[in-house]
Amino acid sequence: MMRIRPCPAKSHAELAREWDQLAEERHRQIASGEDLSFDHVVVPTTWSLFEGADRAVVLDIGSGTGDFTAQLAQVAGRVIAVEPSRASMALARRVCRSVQNVRFIEASLEEAASCLDEGPVTAAVAVMTLMTAPDLRGLAKALAALLQTRARFVA
């Protein structure tokens, strides 16, 4: 009988390095429409789950290349985009260059939670993020500290 060993969890730094390598290609897939799941599944499902949420201050956890962040900024008062990958964050800044209501934080959510001073976050979204989080408990703890009571969290 073959024994299956669990893979060790990757650190935030390891994940960020991987996404640094993938960022340009990921953005190209989304921007070109090649990633059909993004436009036809992920975005519509997220909007559906986000319906009725207070969008005054929205946290975009694992904002990646900023493609969803730019859409979110159109319907939110303010967006806080949190992303540990330097290359993804550079792309996100380019994608959102004409958007005025986005603050970018290059860090994990756990790291960013200590420097956020926008007041209570009214909603949060984590598109395709939780599956790679190295510490779900830490992420949940940071999120709970940031969200106001009855805030909407879509993941």
Side-chain angles (χ1 to χ4, degrees), residues 40-62:
H40 299 287
V41 178
V42 174
V43 172
T45 301
T46 303
W47 287 136
S48 174
L49 294 170
F50 218 58
E51 183 118 356
D54 179 345
R55 299 173 186 172
V57 180
V58 181
L59 184 61
D60 187 1
I61 305 163

Side-chain angles (χ1 to χ4, degrees), residues 5 11 15 17 28 51 56-57 66 69-70 76 85-86 90 93 104 107 109 129 142:
R5 293 181 306 189
S11 69
L15 288 168
R17 281 191 297 274
R28 187 198 64 74
E51 183 118 356
V57 180
T69 308
S85 162
R86 175 164 286 154
R93 285 186 170 101
F104 295 99
L109 180 64
T129 299

Side-chain angles (χ1 to χ4, degrees), residues 59 61 109-110 112-114 116 119-125 130 135-153:
L59 184 61
I61 305 163
L109 180 64
E110 297 89 331
S114 64
L116 287 174
V121 174
T122 59
V125 61
L130 298 182
D135 177 14
L136 278 176
R137 287 182 203 270
L139 187 145
K141 186 176 178 181
L143 187 59
L146 294 170
L147 291 178
Q148 74 178 24
T149 304
R150 298 206 175 277
R152 177 86 48 99
F153 174 50

Side-chain angles (χ1 to χ4, degrees), residues 54-129:
D54 179 345
R55 299 173 186 172
V57 180
V58 181
L59 184 61
D60 187 1
I61 305 163
S63 57
T65 59
D67 295 281
F68 185 76
T69 308
Q71 294 182 35
L72 188 56
Q74 294 176 10
V75 299
R78 287 183 289 145
V79 177
I80 305 162
V82 178
E83 170 60 51
S85 162
R86 175 164 286 154
S88 293
M89 187 58 70
L91 273 167
R93 285 186 170 101
R94 259 193 353 236
V95 167
C96 298
R97 69 181 161 269
S98 63
V99 179
Q100 301 299 312
N101 61 335
V102 178
R103 175 181 176 194
F104 295 99
I105 300 175
E106 187 181 312
S108 68
L109 180 64
E110 297 89 331
E111 295 164 337
S114 64
C115 70
L116 287 174
D117 55 3
E118 274 80 2
V121 174
T122 59
V125 61
V127 174
M128 307 294 287
T129 299

Side-chain angles (χ1 to χ4, degrees), residues 10-28:
K10 294 179 181 178
S11 69
H12 287 291
E14 290 170 312
L15 288 168
R17 281 191 297 274
E18 284 182 16
W19 279 108
D20 284 345
Q21 299 298 312
L22 301 168
E24 288 285 345
E25 178 62 14
R26 179 69 183 132
H27 174 64
R28 187 198 64 74

